[in-house]
Amino acid sequence: MRRFAVERVRRLFLRTVRTHASSAAVSSPSSSHSSSLFSPASAAAMSTASSTVVTVDSINPRVLKCEYAVRGEIVTIAQRLQEDLKANPGSHPFDEILYCNIGNPQSLGQVPLTFFREVLALCDHPFLLDKDETGHLFSADAISRAWKILDSIPGRATGAYSHSQGIKGLRESIAVGIALRDGYPCNADDIFLTDGASPAVHMMMQLLIGSEKDGILCPIPQYPLYSASIALHGGSLVPYYLDEATGWGLEIAELKKQLEDARSKGITVRALVVINPGNPTGQVLTEENQREIVEFCKRESLVLLADEVYQENVYVEDKKFNSFKKIARSIGYGDKDITLVSFQSVSKGYYGECGKRGGYMEITGFSADVREQIYKMASVNLCSNISGQILASLVMNPPKPEDESYDTFHAERHGILSSLARRAKMLEDAFNSLEGVSCNKAEGAMYLFPCLQLSKKAIEAAKAINAAPDAFYARRLLNATGIVFVPGSGFGQVPGTWHVRCTILPQEDKIPGVISRLKAFHEAFTQEFRD
Amino acid sequence: MRRFAVERVRRLFLRTVRTHASSAAVSSPSSSHSSSLFSPASAAAMSTASSTVVTVDSINPRVLKCEYAVRGEIVTIAQRLQEDLKANPGSHPFDEILYCNIGNPQSLGQVPLTFFREVLALCDHPFLLDKDETGHLFSADAISRAWKILDSIPGRATGAYSHSQGIKGLRESIAVGIALRDGYPCNADDIFLTDGASPAVHMMMQLLIGSEKDGILCPIPQYPLYSASIALHGGSLVPYYLDEATGWGLEIAELKKQLEDARSKGITVRALVVINPGNPTGQVLTEENQREIVEFCKRESLVLLADEVYQENVYVEDKKFNSFKKIARSIGYGDKDITLVSFQSVSKGYYGECGKRGGYMEITGFSADVREQIYKMASVNLCSNISGQILASLVMNPPKPEDESYDTFHAERHGILSSLARRAKMLEDAFNSLEGVSCNKAEGAMYLFPCLQLSKKAIEAAKAINAAPDAFYARRLLNATGIVFVPGSGFGQVPGTWHVRCTILPQEDKIPGVISRLKAFHEAFTQEFRD
């Protein structure tokens, strides 16, 4: 009976594989115009006709409107090239695709921190804690931390749904970490643990946006999560431009101008998004600038949505990360003065644990009845994943100098951050050495956002294939070198200017190769399209 | 310097604790009417006045409309009682709270399956795979499975964002599991891995609902995720009633009547939700009934949203789980005939790994361009957590008889499922032995949904405190016994009938105690409110 079942699944699998193979040869006319835009995975499913119960014309129009460049067209082309390279080695002038499109450090070889992974493994399989061998395999403080975490979970049940905001003991430990960082108290009840920062951002957008009359002030350029989430929730993105000439400066006069403009159009602006350190722009705000922003939000009755996921990623001596809560408290603003949400994630920093989907938001200045609504929204998804919750507590409370793990931890952390700083500088210098390219300093975060002066001829060539000029540049770069940059048009930019976003994440020994491929491509491109 | 920092955080922590302590004594007038409804956590934040930038009147009205009973008022009361019991032991006529409100097996003592946790620990900390001790600590097939999984992840990077649909190799292994279950092929490209089933349900609602003119047919009683998600996305819930008299039968005539009624009101009904095995009702659909449902969806051009998260939870000999895809294929319906979504989760079954937030949806019959939109929605959240992805692949491909783990796995699995069947029967019999209570068989899932005939006097007493009669009953039960049931009003029920939902999850040795407390309470309640 069992043998039969195994044989049966083998046959089914072969049928599945054959279905795929034949579908690859069939081009579905209905999909040809748009299949290039997103998932290559979907192509395989097109071999048979589909039901027409759901059509693009009948779905939620807000979904259609939403765009998400960092996983958009350029990535789909890259994935196809990768498959092609695998099937036909030597078929392209490069032998690997280098994904510089997304802040995903471990996908490019960054190694996770030992202490974090030790604790996660012990919490996943607490059986290990009672074994003699464990003392040889794990550091003493990882073992004691795992015990402490397990003891903070009712019934030590790491497989149970937690409180909708996350496990209380983990939130308390995060609150201690925040208090130590800021020098101001933090309340564990203000923490909502989430599956990365993205669901927290969606939750705030869902709370604040009731219709297209509700506006959210967002930087341009911005991380496309914001434009996507605002589009999905049916609100209005109110743009404010960062000033490239002053190192992506955030000017209060610009905020004020855009706010008034939006108000004159009948839009109620509900919140201001600030990304600090900046994504895709890499700037780190000064304390003075942050104070002005806090005062502006108070004056204009705006919720301050502070994307602080790059708080550990600062690479310059003269700048330092300050949370907006610290700034607000330092000028004497309490809960009654300012409504503030701070987003943090385990995906960035030196940890880069994107796949673990851990993060939190700290909310302050909300009334009790609005907090209940936020709690209810969190409850509808039950809770975030417990491993991510544990990791968020570790990230906010890493090993201390007296702990056995500390030396290893410190070396790993320092190794990653100092290498990121060197990589940022090397790439920045490289961009600035290219003809017609200028690039601001990457003070923080994981990106550079160089400005490209494209010739009329290049712009015409892009127009001829119905592409944005920077998308045209990025596509040509990809086809020539295997390097994936995201066109600036995916982030927003001053009309008539063109950029690309490039992560600083390729491993350090690969950076010289990236730079020489980039230089060679850029010179050829410039020659080809010189006016 | 470091000592100073440690001392500083200690002081901050004390300040935080003091702030909490004082706030506990202060009753915030603004919150008094509603603070009982949701989070007890929020109470601590009310000590200082809050900014009025965001008010309940200014937030998204769809959020206000959303309700989620399984984590609603009754749970908040239970949490308060629990705190009270801790602070003042002996202050109530029971010494523990028994949470029968939510399908959260491990929170009530269910132990996770060894094989699953071994593989998760090894994938979290692959360093272990190279160590001699590992052979003593882990089963051979857990080690080989971990290697296989790691090899399917590009760069073995378990901390990297995956493909937006989930890691390809894991989806392929899930597809094999589905094909073996159904006897029909499954395509890995049809699988979207998600953080539990809830985000998948939200994604489909977001896709299908553009306005309140878009309706979704939902069973009544239903799992409140559906009503909550439809409310959040601004659609219309079109109810169809399950027939309690025929064991919660799903009648096509009722579907048709409700569909026509909705259409006559100008609502475009987009989809039919079927939960099988049923939540909160516990029935398992017959093949014949499933065929009728599939044909109805084809005839009426409805997407079939099949909640199949309890597929492993069937407790009666004469019933068997059949996926809707298997049923559709068995009557010859392919992609062009029916648009079908099947939701699965690692939270239920015998595994009960709620906190891991793993799950998937299998989508078939969508056109290529609509699939691209679904892919884009998945991309906006980047990916689901990798541990949950791994667990979903394990759940759909557990150890086989030839594997070292199999005997242990089989014993653990059988132990849990057979105990659940016994618990379901004991509780069902107990409910049926109570005066004025009738309870259908729990054929599957994790719940009983007994009907309470409440006296006029009880209904009057409930009205006097502005409570639904079943909420009144549940609250009295909780205060008398510490047992948490969710009132039927949170799931929907035929007007004028009253129910409670009770999970079958308390550990087996506790069931007799639960039953005797329940009986004693019910007798006293019946006496007190006899007309």
Side-chain angles (χ1 to χ4, degrees):
Chain A
M1 179 65 194
R2 191 178 320 122
R3 287 280 157 228
F4 168 73
V6 170
E7 178 50 30
R8 193 169 52 130
V9 84
R10 201 167 287 144
R11 273 184 288 126
L12 285 167
F13 189 71
L14 286 174
R15 270 162 70 190
T16 305
V17 169
R18 275 198 296 271
T19 312
H20 283 209
S22 63
S23 74
V26 177
S27 168
S28 160
S30 75
S31 69
S32 59
H33 76 287
S34 52
S35 70
S36 67
L37 274 174
F38 291 101
S39 169
S42 63
M46 300 169 198
S47 60
T48 54
S50 292
S51 155
T52 53
V53 165
V54 187
T55 66
V56 168
D57 298 329
S58 72
I59 66 169
N60 179 354
R62 296 184 292 277
V63 169
L64 283 179
K65 210 180 148 193
C66 156
E67 286 181 16
Y68 198 60
V70 298
R71 289 218 160 168
E73 182 183 23
I74 193 87
V75 181
T76 302
I77 301 174
Q79 286 169 338
R80 271 204 226 112
L81 283 173
Q82 189 165 25
E83 282 166 27
D84 200 29
L85 274 176
K86 207 170 154 186
N88 309 299
S91 57
H92 293 276
F94 44 86
D95 53 16
E96 67 166 348
I97 302 291
L98 205 63
Y99 288 97
C100 301
N101 58 301
I102 193 165
N104 193 9
Q106 294 189 28
S107 76
L108 295 179
Q110 184 174 307
V111 174
L113 274 84
T114 307
F115 175 78
F116 295 162
R117 293 307 190 96
E118 286 183 340
V119 177
L120 288 182
L122 292 169
C123 291
D124 267 344
H125 195 39
F127 157 93
L128 295 172
L129 288 163
D130 296 324
K131 295 286 153 185
D132 293 338
E133 293 93 332
T134 300
H136 302 292
L137 292 170
F138 294 83
S139 62
D141 53 326
I143 293 172
S144 61
R145 185 70 76 97
W147 274 121
K148 197 180 155 197
I149 289 169
L150 288 169
D151 286 340
S152 76
I153 301 177
R156 294 187 183 156
T158 54
Y161 294 128
S162 70
H163 184 282
S164 304
Q165 289 183 233
I167 292 162
K168 183 71 184 275
L170 300 179
R171 286 187 278 124
E172 280 167 348
S173 122
I174 289 169
V176 169
I178 292 174
L180 182 56
R181 180 195 70 193
D182 291 346
Y184 293 93
C186 172
N187 185 336
D189 295 332
D190 295 343
I191 308 290
F192 284 70
L193 284 155
T194 49
D195 291 309
S198 302
V201 170
H202 287 306
M203 217 189 288
M204 292 315 302
M205 294 303 172
Q206 190 156 48
L207 181 81
L208 295 173
I209 296 172
S211 77
E212 72 285 356
K213 289 288 175 200
D214 292 312
I216 309 289
L217 266 162
C218 284
I220 298 295
Q222 52 104 30
Y223 177 51
L225 168 65
Y226 293 97
S227 52
S229 188
I230 293 167
L232 283 175
H233 292 102
S236 294
L237 188 151
V238 180
Y240 66 92
Y241 287 89
L242 301 175
D243 183 9
E244 187 163 13
T246 60
W248 300 112
L250 195 167
E251 307 293 337
I252 301 299
E254 166 71 4
L255 287 180
K256 202 166 166 48
K257 188 186 115 195
Q258 299 291 355
L259 176 68
E260 281 168 6
D261 184 49
R263 284 179 176 160
S264 75
K265 292 173 183 153
I267 290 171
T268 307
V269 180
R270 315 296 310 274
L272 168 67
V273 172
V274 179
I275 311 174
N276 179 46
N279 175 5
T281 43
Q283 86 286 17
V284 178
L285 299 178
T286 63
E287 270 195 67
E288 174 57 26
N289 200 183
Q290 287 184 273
R291 271 196 294 272
E292 291 172 344
I293 293 165
V294 168
E295 281 159 1
F296 176 78
C297 287
K298 175 170 158 51
R299 205 162 52 234
E300 303 290 354
S301 294
L302 300 175
V303 178
L304 177 50
L305 299 175
D307 182 334
E308 301 182 326
V309 303
Y310 296 100
Q311 56 190 260
E312 298 273 3
N313 299 96
V314 177
Y315 309 120
V316 288
E317 288 291 320
D318 58 334
K319 290 283 184 76
K320 169 176 179 304
F321 169 76
N322 292 293
S323 78
F324 272 104
K325 193 174 130 212
K326 173 182 168 180
I327 298 295
R329 297 297 177 261
S330 73
I331 53 177
Y333 287 0
D335 274 346
K336 69 179 192 312
D337 302 300
I338 181 139
T339 307
L340 178 59
V341 182
S342 165
F343 302 104
Q344 164 67 323
S345 166
V346 305
S347 304
K348 310 301 172 186
Y350 55 91
Y351 15 94
E353 292 275 19
C354 304
K356 295 294 174 188
R357 312 308 288 125
Y360 69 80
M361 60 178 181
E362 181 194 6
I363 66 166
T364 52
F366 286 89
S367 65
D369 46 3
V370 173
R371 291 171 70 98
E372 281 160 18
Q373 297 299 320
I374 300 170
Y375 177 80
K376 183 176 66 178
M377 294 167 79
S379 294
V380 175
N381 276 325
L382 296 160
C383 67
S384 61
N385 84 88
I386 306 295
S387 296
Q389 293 190 24
I390 292 171
L391 199 44
S393 82
L394 299 178
V395 153
M396 298 307 285
N397 292 278
K400 294 188 176 51
E402 58 271 26
D403 297 330
E404 183 186 311
S405 284
Y406 185 79
D407 289 345
T408 305
F409 167 77
H410 183 263
E412 291 173 346
R413 176 183 187 278
H414 178 75
I416 291 167
L417 288 176
S418 58
S419 170
L420 285 174
R422 287 191 298 272
R423 288 180 253 173
K425 186 77 180 86
M426 282 190 281
L427 285 165
E428 173 201 321
D429 289 346
F431 280 118
N432 281 320
S433 77
L434 300 179
E435 183 183 341
V437 176
S438 60
C439 184
N440 276 318
K441 198 188 269 294
E443 298 176 330
M446 295 180 170
Y447 315 99
L448 290 162
F449 199 64
C451 181
L452 315 174
Q453 283 177 6
L454 296 175
S455 63
K456 280 185 197 139
K457 205 165 157 189
I459 293 170
E460 287 302 317
K463 202 182 274 176
I465 61 159
N466 207 18
D470 47 9
F472 176 70
Y473 180 91
R475 232 183 277 172
R476 293 279 295 232
L477 173 74
L478 170 59
N479 282 316
T481 66
I483 301 171
V484 190
F485 289 174
V486 183
S489 36
F491 303 87
Q493 51 200 350
V494 171
T497 68
W498 309 110
H499 299 77
V500 286
R501 188 185 81 160
C502 155
T503 73
I504 58 170
L505 297 174
Q507 288 300 287
E508 198 165 349
D509 58 356
K510 291 197 172 171
I511 297 282
V514 171
I515 290 173
S516 65
R517 281 144 82 186
L518 174 64
K519 280 191 173 175
F521 162 77
H522 187 80
E523 274 164 29
F525 183 92
T526 305
Q527 276 311 110
E528 182 177 351
F529 294 101
R530 201 175 288 285
D531 286 330
Chain B
M1 181 64 195
R2 191 179 322 122
R3 288 280 158 229
F4 167 73
V6 171
E7 177 51 30
R8 193 168 54 131
V9 83
R10 201 168 287 144
R11 272 184 288 126
L12 285 168
F13 189 71
L14 287 174
R15 270 163 69 188
T16 306
V17 170
R18 274 198 298 272
T19 311
H20 283 207
S22 64
S23 73
V26 177
S27 166
S28 160
S30 75
S31 68
S32 58
H33 77 287
S34 51
S35 70
S36 66
L37 275 172
F38 290 100
S39 169
S42 64
M46 300 168 198
S47 61
T48 53
S50 291
S51 155
T52 53
V53 164
V54 187
T55 67
V56 167
D57 298 328
S58 71
I59 66 169
N60 179 355
R62 295 185 291 277
V63 169
L64 282 180
K65 210 178 149 194
C66 153
E67 285 181 17
Y68 198 61
V70 298
R71 288 217 160 168
E73 183 182 21
I74 193 85
V75 180
T76 303
I77 301 174
Q79 286 170 337
R80 271 204 225 111
L81 283 172
Q82 189 167 24
E83 282 166 25
D84 200 29
L85 274 176
K86 206 171 156 188
N88 309 299
S91 57
H92 293 277
F94 46 86
D95 53 16
E96 66 165 349
I97 301 292
L98 206 62
Y99 288 98
C100 301
N101 58 300
I102 192 164
N104 194 8
Q106 295 188 29
S107 76
L108 295 179
Q110 185 174 307
V111 173
L113 274 84
T114 307
F115 174 78
F116 294 163
R117 294 307 191 98
E118 285 183 339
V119 177
L120 288 182
L122 292 169
C123 291
D124 267 344
H125 195 38
F127 157 93
L128 295 171
L129 288 163
D130 296 324
K131 294 287 155 184
D132 293 338
E133 294 92 333
T134 299
H136 303 291
L137 292 171
F138 294 82
S139 61
D141 54 326
I143 292 171
S144 62
R145 186 72 75 99
W147 274 121
K148 196 179 157 201
I149 289 169
L150 288 169
D151 285 341
S152 77
I153 301 176
R156 294 187 183 157
T158 54
Y161 294 128
S162 71
H163 185 283
S164 303
Q165 289 182 233
I167 292 162
K168 183 73 185 273
L170 299 179
R171 285 187 279 124
E172 280 166 350
S173 123
I174 289 169
V176 169
I178 292 173
L180 183 56
R181 180 195 69 193
D182 291 346
Y184 292 93
C186 172
N187 185 335
D189 295 332
D190 295 343
I191 307 291
F192 284 70
L193 284 154
T194 48
D195 291 308
S198 301
V201 170
H202 286 307
M203 217 188 290
M204 291 316 300
M205 295 303 172
Q206 190 156 49
L207 181 81
L208 296 172
I209 296 173
S211 76
E212 71 285 355
K213 290 287 174 200
D214 292 312
I216 309 289
L217 266 163
C218 284
I220 297 295
Q222 52 104 29
Y223 177 52
L225 169 64
Y226 293 97
S227 51
S229 188
I230 293 167
L232 282 175
H233 292 103
S236 293
L237 188 150
V238 180
Y240 66 92
Y241 287 89
L242 301 174
D243 183 9
E244 188 163 12
T246 58
W248 299 114
L250 196 166
E251 307 293 340
I252 302 298
E254 165 71 4
L255 287 181
K256 202 166 165 49
K257 187 185 117 197
Q258 299 292 355
L259 176 68
E260 281 167 6
D261 185 49
R263 284 179 176 160
S264 75
K265 292 173 184 154
I267 290 172
T268 307
V269 180
R270 316 297 310 275
L272 167 67
V273 172
V274 179
I275 311 174
N276 179 46
N279 175 5
T281 43
Q283 87 284 19
V284 178
L285 299 178
T286 63
E287 270 194 67
E288 172 58 26
N289 200 182
Q290 287 185 273
R291 272 196 294 271
E292 291 172 344
I293 293 165
V294 167
E295 281 159 2
F296 175 79
C297 286
K298 176 171 159 51
R299 204 161 53 234
E300 302 291 353
S301 294
L302 300 175
V303 179
L304 177 50
L305 299 175
D307 182 334
E308 302 183 325
V309 303
Y310 296 100
Q311 56 190 264
E312 298 273 3
N313 300 98
V314 177
Y315 309 120
V316 289
E317 289 292 322
D318 57 334
K319 290 282 184 79
K320 168 175 180 305
F321 169 78
N322 292 295
S323 78
F324 272 103
K325 192 174 131 211
K326 174 181 169 180
I327 298 295
R329 297 296 178 262
S330 73
I331 52 178
Y333 287 0
D335 273 346
K336 70 178 191 313
D337 302 299
I338 181 140
T339 308
L340 178 59
V341 183
S342 165
F343 302 104
Q344 164 66 323
S345 167
V346 305
S347 304
K348 309 302 172 188
Y350 56 90
Y351 14 94
E353 293 275 18
C354 304
K356 295 295 175 190
R357 312 309 287 122
Y360 69 79
M361 58 179 183
E362 182 194 5
I363 66 167
T364 52
F366 287 88
S367 66
D369 46 4
V370 173
R371 292 171 70 98
E372 281 161 18
Q373 298 298 320
I374 300 171
Y375 177 81
K376 183 176 68 176
M377 295 167 79
S379 294
V380 176
N381 275 325
L382 297 161
C383 67
S384 63
N385 84 87
I386 306 297
S387 297
Q389 292 190 25
I390 291 171
L391 200 44
S393 81
L394 299 178
V395 154
M396 298 308 286
N397 294 278
K400 295 187 173 54
E402 58 272 26
D403 297 329
E404 183 186 311
S405 285
Y406 184 77
D407 290 345
T408 305
F409 167 79
H410 183 263
E412 291 173 347
R413 177 183 186 278
H414 178 75
I416 290 168
L417 288 176
S418 58
S419 171
L420 284 174
R422 288 191 298 271
R423 288 180 254 172
K425 185 78 181 87
M426 282 191 279
L427 285 165
E428 174 201 321
D429 289 346
F431 278 118
N432 281 319
S433 76
L434 300 180
E435 183 183 342
V437 177
S438 61
C439 184
N440 275 320
K441 199 188 269 295
E443 298 177 329
M446 296 181 169
Y447 315 98
L448 291 162
F449 199 63
C451 181
L452 314 175
Q453 282 179 7
L454 296 175
S455 64
K456 279 186 198 139
K457 206 165 156 187
I459 292 169
E460 286 301 317
K463 202 182 275 176
I465 61 158
N466 207 18
D470 47 9
F472 176 69
Y473 180 91
R475 232 183 278 172
R476 293 278 295 231
L477 174 73
L478 171 59
N479 283 314
T481 66
I483 301 170
V484 191
F485 289 174
V486 182
S489 36
F491 303 87
Q493 51 200 350
V494 171
T497 69
W498 310 109
H499 298 77
V500 285
R501 188 186 80 162
C502 155
T503 73
I504 59 170
L505 298 174
Q507 287 300 287
E508 197 164 349
D509 57 358
K510 290 197 172 172
I511 297 281
V514 171
I515 290 174
S516 64
R517 280 144 83 185
L518 174 64
K519 281 193 170 170
F521 162 77
H522 187 80
E523 275 163 28
F525 183 92
T526 305
Q527 275 311 110
E528 182 178 349
F529 294 102
R530 201 176 288 284
D531 286 331

